[in-house]
Amino acid sequence: QSVLTQPPSASGTPGQRVTVSCSGSNSNIGPNSVSWYQQLPETAPKLLIHSNNQRPSGVPDRFSGSKSGTSASLAISGLQSEDEADYYCAAWDGSLSGWVFGGGTKLTVL
Amino acid sequence: QVQLQESGPRLVKPSGTLSLTCTVSGGSISSSHWWSWVRQPPGKGLEWLGEIHPSGTTNYNASLKSRVSISMDKSKNQFSLNLNSVTAADTAVFYCARVDKLLGEYFFAYWGQGTLVTVSS
């Protein structure tokens, strides 16, 4: 059972917009920023969004992040086949004094 | 470009100690970053194990605190993970990562490619 809650799966067709949610609490997402990671099959996670809504250099602007209260969301617009991957959210948890991850969401492009 | 590379035994016996090293290139481990270990059991999600700062300060996952330790060798630009009393449940891909700080916010900016460690007799 992960501290941050994500839906196990999501799907969409090419060109669609999909969102992935990440629910936390007042000890993690509430006071701290959220980052998102993309994990393509058989590869290491890659930073996708940091500081709730900031894209690192090289990440397409199709990817965007937001945070409200104790929840965060990742949105992917103009869905492409290469977006098929697992997506994880993460935040620092002050009560646990450690990093916590969501359980991951497997995105399927139909 | 910062690169991280995990190394160590791929097979560890039950009740033994899992030891991995992360070698950092393209940057100094003495820079003001936190250096972390994250693992991923086959088919499952990511779990943070702990982190170390060049000052020597460490933070550990509370659920593993009694079994995990992280150290740093600045002369070799490496940091290491020790996980003792391992069982089959510790079988996982282990990643090392660098935590960056930007405008007061922290995130895992760089990851190693990961190494699969199997616990089995």
Side-chain angles (χ1 to χ4, degrees), chain A residues 23-58:
Chain A
S23 178
S25 70
N26 287 320
S27 64
N28 41 65
I29 292 179
N32 300 306
S33 68
V34 176
S35 49
W36 290 90
Y37 303 87
Q38 178 192 57
Q39 187 175 35
L40 297 170
E42 306 303 319
T43 67
K46 168 195 162 187
L47 177 65
L48 200 61
I49 296 286
H50 68 84
S51 309
N52 302 322
N53 55 20
Q54 301 299 302
R55 281 186 312 275
S57 173

Side-chain angles (χ1 to χ4, degrees), chain A:
Chain A
Q1 190 83 359
S2 301
V3 174
L4 303 182
T5 301
Q6 297 180 235
S9 64
S11 63
T13 56
Q16 264 191 330
R17 180 178 187 271
V18 298
T19 61
V20 177
S21 62
C22 176
S23 178
S25 70
N26 287 320
S27 64
N28 41 65
I29 292 179
N32 300 306
S33 68
V34 176
S35 49
W36 290 90
Y37 303 87
Q38 178 192 57
Q39 187 175 35
L40 297 170
E42 306 303 319
T43 67
K46 168 195 162 187
L47 177 65
L48 200 61
I49 296 286
H50 68 84
S51 309
N52 302 322
N53 55 20
Q54 301 299 302
R55 281 186 312 275
S57 173
V59 173
D61 60 7
R62 302 187 296 105
F63 295 89
S64 62
S66 63
K67 172 186 148 178
S68 178
T70 60
S71 293
S73 289
L74 171 71
I76 309 172
S77 60
L79 198 61
Q80 299 180 5
S81 58
E82 63 251 39
D83 298 333
E84 193 160 280
D86 293 326
Y87 293 86
Y88 294 89
C89 58
W92 178 263
D93 191 299
S95 293
L96 298 173
S97 293
W99 286 93
V100 291
F101 285 94
T105 298
K106 184 175 185 60
L107 175 63
T108 301
V109 180
L110 302 170

